[in-house]
Amino acid sequence: MKRLLPYLLLLIFSIAPFHGSFAQKNKKKTKDEIVMPKFPGGESELHKFIISELQYPFEARMNRESGEVLVAFSVGMDGYITGVRVVRSVSKALDAEAVRVVSNSPKWKPGRMNGQKGRTSVTVPVEFRLRKKGSKGNFGFKKHSIY
């Protein structure tokens, strides 16, 4: 339960600013319809993009560093991502690679609330896993884990 709490808080705080920006414009609406931003082609294409772009840093491989880097960013009304930052760090080398790949992401489909586009925060886990000694390693992100 303690491991789940940070993710729930992150989700709540990432949606709260988005919710507030539309609340004043749509006072008459009683039900808020929120649509989160989407990577072109969906989550499976995001997974393919990360795997194709990610390079396991040599320094991290030599130091046997592995783990999950949580990268947060905002998707603007134009679909471009800004403000890429590490929310949960593993090491400088892995963090920098995860930020590099996410920063090079193509334009996303923007989030919406009640039919209007809006700036939305997204958090993506980028996982680095080492195999047995001597192998190149593995990386990517867990499917169904965009926050």
Side-chain angles (χ1 to χ4, degrees), residues 1 15 27 31 37 44 57 68 71 74 85 91 95 100-101 103 107 130 139:
M1 182 66 178
I15 292 176
K27 289 183 180 179
K31 184 179 178 184
S44 62
E68 185 179 79
V71 180
S74 296
R85 65 196 179 285
S91 72
D95 295 352
R100 182 193 69 79
V101 170
S103 296
K107 190 174 172 180
L130 286 172
F139 40 78

Side-chain angles (χ1 to χ4, degrees), residues 85-122:
R85 65 196 179 285
V86 174
V87 177
R88 187 171 65 204
S89 174
V90 173
S91 72
K92 287 183 180 182
L94 296 182
D95 295 352
E97 180 61 12
V99 167
R100 182 193 69 79
V101 170
V102 171
S103 296
N104 290 329
S105 155
K107 190 174 172 180
W108 287 51
K109 183 177 180 183
R112 294 180 173 271
M113 183 160 183
N114 296 326
Q116 296 181 355
K117 292 180 184 179
R119 186 180 184 94
T120 313
S121 295
V122 178

